[in-house]
Amino acid sequence: MNPNILNSIFDHIPLTMILVNTDGKIENINRAASIKLGKEKKDCVDLLGGELFGCMNSLKEEGCGKNRECSECTVRNSVMHTFETGENIYKKEGKLDILTNGRPTPIHFLISTILIKQNNESMVLLIADDITEQKIAEKKVLEASVKAEKAIQQYADIFENVRIGFYIYYLENLDDDRTLRLMAANPAASDITGVPNEVILGKTLDEIFPGLREKDIPQTYAEVVRTGQSKVLEDIYYGDERVLENTFSVKVFPLPNNCVGVAFDNITERKKEQEAMLQAKLTAEDANRTKSEFISNMSHELRTPLTSIIGFSDLLICENFGTLNESQKKYISNVLRSGKHLLKLINDLLDFSKIEAGKMELILEEFAIQDTINEIKETMMPLAMKKEIELNYSINVENPIIVADSVKFKQILYNLVSNAIKFTDQGGSVTMGINTTDEIISVFVKDSGIGISIDYQDKLFNPFYQVDSSNAREYEGTGLGLALVDKFVEMHGGNIWVDSEVGNGSTFTFRIPIAFENKSF
């Protein structure tokens, strides 16, 4: 087979292909891999797999392949398995945690490996099909330079062993798409279509699959030959008396000498899964709307009698209607405290259901930061004194006036400070700090409390999530406080994060614009 064609096949296959040597280092990558990874080929040679992908585990401690987590790496283990056993792997699911914008981001792959020989040395061809996004972007193609004879067998092995179908057509007459003639086909093509390659080689596309003309397929293949521009054809539904009815994903790319390469795969099951996932998403959204409406209705129904209970308890405890003995005072105090706690939980549920329903709005106004701080001080001091917690404030305010929703801003501070007090032991300390610039107000709440494991920190702002979810947990609450804080900060165009270590306290920090303009969430 023409070396140009073989070279082009490797370089133009629209799948991420990486050639790995026995040391686990990169020998070569194809064009699609270079585009996907955003790296030049020359910069990838001699990198380890984790270094190539930017895996989190390659950036810490001993490096790629030497950390404890590396023993569970599907990509690494698949390559090693093929080297050790000679057994090829087809579409095995795996995951890498990639560093993106300073945070770990999971990338999911379908991994295939093929053991090949190059200069009598064993190599593994790693094919990593990114299924984080189901669609594969169209790949730009360039003509590859002539490779040495040693490369011919390497690319021939790829063509013969890769588990997606390949056809190579030759366009005899550039002006006539009916002259597309099949020149080569790999074994996988026969497996996918059910049509033996030996009975169709040498025939025209119209002779092999006559029903494709009404789908403009021959016309598209000929256009790729004439223009040199690749095409990605998704969701091609086809079947005839020989080919079972299925849905195919087709990638068409130009090859030298008026040839066109066609890579295709049966995606029928994938389409069914996508449709099932879409239906499940719609069902979940409908259930979520029903849940939000239920919470909202129930919250309204519960608040009316609860407000009466709190009001009458207040009247009784003030002894306006007669003196109470010590037991009566204790019982009424318990009723009042429990009622207020229950009302706060109901209000949190109602606020969250409004946010989920898109009905929560910001009421923006100018207000003095110091006034808000003073209110928080007065509210929090009794809680802190009860646990003998030192309550500190570090206020560095350049601009004393901000534009925000003052009620929600106070609720953010209240939730963060009350949480800090709740999770800080007797005799500890809580510090609230505020800094402003011309554009940003930055607020932190630091405590000397129990701290939070790094395993739980990403989940803290999820609704109803609590680090200790057992029935016997020491700290009461619904798990909505931080979720509401997160939503309120987001509504103000800001962001919030936590720095914490078990046993060494936590610091929650948020930033919002000092003069926010958007009036609805």
Side-chain angles (χ1 to χ4, degrees), residues 106-272:
I107 304 296
H108 297 270
F109 297 101
L110 286 180
I111 297 163
S112 299
T113 59
I114 301 170
L115 185 67
I116 62 176
K117 292 285 187 178
Q118 182 180 0
N119 295 334
N120 295 322
E121 292 185 9
S122 294
M123 301 261 181
V124 166
L125 177 70
L126 172 66
I127 304 173
D129 186 7
D130 186 351
I131 58 173
T132 305
E133 299 177 359
Q134 292 296 330
K135 302 214 181 260
I136 300 174
E138 178 182 357
K139 303 297 185 295
K140 292 185 178 179
V141 218
L142 296 174
E143 284 191 4
S145 59
V146 178
K147 297 291 184 181
E149 182 62 28
K150 62 181 181 179
I152 295 177
Q153 185 57 45
Q154 172 186 330
Y155 297 136
D157 284 347
I158 295 171
F159 184 75
E160 292 296 318
N161 290 292
V162 72
R163 295 297 298 272
I164 61 174
F166 278 105
Y167 286 146
I168 298 176
Y169 291 96
Y170 170 60
L171 185 60
E172 297 174 356
N173 183 343
L174 286 177
D175 297 322
D176 187 358
D177 55 50
R178 295 183 182 275
T179 64
L180 281 163
R181 193 171 299 279
L182 184 63
M183 305 303 295
N186 71 338
S190 179
D191 295 338
I192 292 172
T193 64
V195 181
N197 291 336
E198 58 269 19
V199 303
I200 58 175
L201 283 171
K203 293 184 178 180
T204 66
L205 177 55
D206 286 283
E207 291 173 329
I208 301 168
F209 305 118
L212 288 179
R213 178 158 292 277
E214 64 185 34
K215 298 180 180 292
D216 291 331
I217 300 301
Q219 299 91 316
T220 300
Y221 292 0
E223 182 185 355
V224 170
V225 175
R226 288 191 288 264
T227 64
Q229 299 296 315
S230 299
K231 295 282 185 181
V232 178
L233 310 176
E234 292 287 354
D235 305 340
I236 302 299
Y237 183 75
Y238 184 74
D240 58 25
E241 65 274 6
R242 298 165 305 159
V243 182
L244 293 176
E245 292 184 349
N246 282 302
T247 301
F248 297 90
S249 173
V250 182
K251 291 86 178 176
V252 192
F253 49 92
L255 293 173
N257 304 319
N258 294 346
C259 289
V260 61
V262 180
F264 59 95
D265 201 2
N266 185 341
I267 60 170
T268 304
E269 292 303 318
R270 187 193 306 172
K271 294 300 296 182
K272 290 180 180 178

Side-chain angles (χ1 to χ4, degrees), residues 422-457:
K422 180 167 69 172
F423 291 102
T424 298
D425 292 332
Q426 195 89 5
S429 66
V430 172
T431 301
M432 181 172 71
I434 296 182
N435 296 283
T436 64
T437 66
D438 290 340
E439 298 180 352
I440 297 293
I441 176 171
S442 177
V443 182
F444 72 85
V445 176
K446 180 178 181 181
D447 65 64
S448 61
I450 60 176
I452 306 160
S453 167
I454 193 170
D455 296 332
Y456 297 117
Q457 290 178 20

Side-chain angles (χ1 to χ4, degrees), residues 261-429:
V262 180
F264 59 95
D265 201 2
N266 185 341
I267 60 170
T268 304
E269 292 303 318
R270 187 193 306 172
K271 294 300 296 182
K272 290 180 180 178
E273 291 173 1
Q274 289 175 348
E275 291 171 3
M277 289 174 63
L278 176 60
Q279 186 57 48
K281 179 176 179 291
L282 294 174
T283 301
E285 289 175 348
D286 185 60
N288 193 52
R289 281 192 296 271
T290 302
K291 178 206 69 178
S292 296
E293 291 174 4
F294 172 78
I295 291 174
S296 179
N297 292 336
M298 286 302 298
S299 297
H300 281 295
E301 292 297 324
L302 289 171
R303 281 207 301 182
T304 301
L306 191 56
T307 302
S308 296
I309 292 171
I310 293 172
F312 287 125
S313 298
D314 261 329
L315 290 174
L316 289 173
I317 205 167
C318 290
E319 298 183 303
N320 292 333
F321 298 95
T323 303
L324 302 177
N325 61 40
E326 290 305 315
S327 294
Q328 290 170 333
K329 288 181 180 179
K330 178 181 177 182
Y331 298 150
I332 292 298
S333 295
N334 288 339
V335 170
L336 185 59
R337 183 173 59 254
S338 298
K340 288 181 177 180
H341 176 66
L342 185 55
L343 183 60
K344 181 186 182 304
L345 300 185
I346 291 172
N347 286 335
D348 284 350
L349 283 169
L350 187 57
D351 283 345
F352 197 80
S353 67
K354 285 182 180 179
I355 291 173
E356 286 191 321
K359 297 179 180 179
M360 179 70 75
E361 294 184 351
L362 293 179
I363 302 174
L364 300 180
E365 59 181 324
E366 287 189 353
F367 61 91
I369 299 175
Q370 191 61 53
D371 292 343
T372 301
I373 300 305
N374 292 337
E375 287 187 44
I376 295 297
K377 283 182 179 179
E378 292 177 7
T379 306
M380 293 293 104
M381 190 57 70
L383 295 176
M385 292 176 64
K386 187 176 180 180
K387 295 180 69 174
E388 298 179 358
I389 289 174
E390 182 181 355
L391 201 56
N392 302 311
Y393 295 87
S394 173
I395 313 299
N396 181 19
V397 178
E398 295 181 12
N399 184 354
I401 304 296
I402 69 171
V403 178
D405 187 314
S406 62
V407 173
K408 292 180 178 58
F409 187 78
K410 278 186 277 191
Q411 192 168 347
I412 292 169
L413 295 181
Y414 174 83
N415 283 356
L416 290 178
V417 176
S418 62
N419 249 24
I421 294 173
K422 180 167 69 172
F423 291 102
T424 298
D425 292 332
Q426 195 89 5
S429 66

Side-chain angles (χ1 to χ4, degrees), residues 1-11 152-153 155-156 159:
M1 188 178 290
N2 189 313
N4 285 341
I5 293 178
L6 293 171
N7 296 340
S8 294
I9 288 173
F10 178 78
D11 236 8
I152 295 177
Q153 185 57 45
Y155 297 136
F159 184 75

